Amino acid sequence: MSEVVGKVVRGGASAVLMVAVLVTAGLVGGVALVAPRSAEAVTGPVGSDDRVPIVIAHRGASAFRPEHTLAAYRLAVRMGADYIEPDLVSTKDHVLVARHENELSKTTDVANHPEFAGRRTTKTINGRQRTGWFTEDFTLGELRALRARERFPKRRPRNRAYDGQAGIPTLDEVVQLARRYGVGVCPEIKYSTYFASIGLPIEGPLLQTLGRYGWKDGGAPVFIQSFETTTLKRLRSVTRLRLVQLIGASGRPYDLVAAGDRRSYSDLITPQGLAQIATYADGIGVITSRVVPLGSDGRLGTPTSLVRDAHRLGLQVLVATVRNENAGLPADYRRGDPARPAYRRAAGDVESWLRRLFALDVDGVFANDPVAARVVRDRVCPGD
């Protein structure tokens, strides 16, 4: 994993310290020998001093491999992630697959397949018009012909070296991988209202797949996520698996939009909104700026009371997304010359940002670079 070590060496003095930790942890011979702490969500009750926050690999080790591929998930495990995150959409034959969105052109080579040229179409999904190729118009067998590619080639140019090497994994394959390596999964249900409207609801196949592997209750290493409130309320009536209400940076949950409900994501994280969430979910997943707002200059402001408010209600707080690149970091932690062309994609001081987040008592972080999150977590929150 020389690209990881090379990256942190270029990060400056703090990164040099990380290199020593990585070597000690076993990052040698191309494999990070960092065992997951456990597949449990936390080591103590919410708000307790013995709780250890979890490291969730955001779409796999997406800083180093094309997202939502078995290669990205496998690398995330080797880098010490406690959980891996598959976003879920459905195929035409109702098989759940891991893609950030159901439109395929950004993350696969579908446009290079003349046999599928006639599948290109325009749809309205969650109120937005999209043109491209969509998973629900392909059977799983047809999707097997496609190869994954880097979704952000300008931001992560080195990931392009892995374009074409991996296919689109099914949820079943992701769960098998997680069980083989002893980590948990944080599946996110995408476009729940939309998929239900076309007769391909995601919730049923999701629960069936997890149940097939014995993951059926709150003790399972599973968090099911959704931005839609009614999805989670329906799930709560049929499962005790842990549920996480995702909160957008702005706007409103689409299920509320479709129902004519004017509540926004900001309304959901008021004390009254959190109390309602606590009746059907076990936690919230929020963008980091909901915990520490950014000023107009991109620098961190005063932390909000969100973590404390949620903990008072027994809700865990997972924050997203910790990225390595300057463009994805608060201005406080960006490094280098802003005038340089590569400044936005250059690595910033992600270690200090992680320390700040853990100090705010969050219960977990979604990270594109799981090894950075794991090393910092173990240093500042060692647990038992």
Side-chain angles (χ1 to χ4, degrees):
M1 215 171 297
S2 58
E3 71 268 33
V4 181
V5 176
K7 174 180 149 308
V8 294
V9 167
R10 288 190 292 274
S14 65
V16 172
L17 293 175
M18 180 172 284
V19 172
V21 176
L22 296 180
V23 173
T24 301
L27 186 59
V28 293
V31 177
L33 304 177
V34 184
R37 181 179 295 277
S38 74
E40 298 302 319
V42 290
T43 58
V46 170
S48 68
D49 291 336
D50 60 346
R51 191 190 75 261
V52 175
I54 58 173
V55 172
I56 307 163
H58 184 238
R59 309 173 194 167
S62 53
F64 306 104
R65 297 291 187 275
E67 65 185 40
H68 291 315
T69 59
L70 291 180
Y73 296 131
R74 192 175 296 113
L75 179 58
V77 174
R78 291 172 175 170
M79 297 175 89
D82 302 303
Y83 284 73
I84 54 179
E85 183 207 23
D87 293 336
L88 300 177
V89 294
S90 180
T91 65
K92 184 177 182 178
D93 46 348
H94 215 180
V95 178
L96 301 188
V97 294
R99 290 290 89 188
H100 177 259
E101 54 197 9
N102 54 337
E103 204 285 300
L104 292 162
S105 62
K106 287 185 178 181
T107 61
T108 75
D109 63 353
V110 64
N112 298 333
H113 286 260
E115 69 271 29
F116 299 136
R119 307 280 178 93
R120 190 172 188 268
T121 187
T122 298
K123 301 187 179 192
T124 300
I125 299 169
N126 283 18
R128 296 181 57 189
Q129 197 172 75
R130 302 288 304 277
T131 298
W133 291 263
F134 298 86
T135 58
E136 63 269 25
D137 297 329
F138 291 76
T139 65
L140 177 62
E142 291 170 331
L143 285 184
R144 295 294 196 192
L146 306 183
R147 309 308 292 172
R149 67 182 187 183
E150 173 56 41
R151 184 164 170 246
F152 298 108
K154 292 183 179 179
R155 184 187 306 172
R156 300 192 283 251
R158 280 183 284 182
N159 282 11
R160 296 182 64 185
Y162 302 96
D163 284 358
Q165 294 186 15
I168 298 175
T170 64
L171 171 63
D172 193 80
E173 290 168 336
V174 176
V175 173
Q176 287 184 38
L177 184 150
R179 287 178 58 83
R180 185 180 314 124
Y181 290 103
V183 300
V185 295
C186 288
E188 179 186 339
I189 298 172
K190 305 293 288 193
Y191 312 125
S192 180
T193 295
Y194 169 76
F195 276 108
S197 74
I198 60 173
L200 296 170
I202 291 176
E203 296 86 346
L206 170 58
L207 294 181
Q208 290 168 12
T209 299
L210 296 174
R212 194 159 59 245
Y213 293 96
W215 289 350
K216 299 179 180 181
D217 57 36
V222 176
F223 287 98
I224 298 176
Q225 313 170 79
S226 178
F227 280 102
E228 299 191 21
T229 64
T230 53
T231 297
L232 296 175
K233 290 176 181 178
R234 286 196 302 267
L235 283 169
R236 177 50 72 225
S237 68
V238 295
T239 184
R240 299 314 302 170
L241 289 167
R242 289 170 294 187
L243 307 179
V244 173
Q245 175 68 63
L246 297 178
I247 305 292
S250 61
R252 300 153 60 199
Y254 185 72
D255 61 311
L256 299 187
V257 173
D261 189 320
R262 299 298 302 175
R263 283 178 297 163
S264 68
Y265 287 118
S266 294
D267 294 321
L268 296 186
I269 57 172
T270 63
Q272 297 80 8
L274 289 171
Q276 174 61 30
I277 290 174
T279 65
Y280 63 84
D282 303 278
I284 57 174
V286 299
I287 191 168
T288 56
S289 61
R290 294 283 190 180
V291 174
V292 194
L294 297 177
S296 58
D297 59 355
R299 293 188 173 276
L300 296 173
T302 302
T304 69
S305 64
L306 179 58
V307 175
R308 183 171 63 253
D309 293 343
H311 282 174
R312 285 173 178 164
L313 292 164
L315 292 168
Q316 296 172 27
V317 181
L318 311 177
V319 295
T321 301
V322 177
R323 297 180 170 89
N324 294 13
E325 305 89 359
N326 280 328
L329 289 168
D332 313 61
Y333 304 117
R334 296 172 190 167
R335 296 293 179 264
D337 182 358
R340 294 180 64 87
Y343 172 77
R344 287 181 58 80
R345 69 170 183 265
D349 185 4
V350 68
E351 297 90 355
S352 293
W353 178 218
L354 283 160
R355 283 196 294 272
R356 173 70 165 149
L357 290 171
F358 288 133
L360 291 169
D361 207 25
V362 301
D363 299 287
V365 296
F366 289 84
N368 288 354
D369 181 349
V371 76
R374 173 64 187 267
V375 168
V376 175
R377 191 276 307 276
D378 286 358
R379 188 181 300 161
V380 302
C381 309
D384 294 333

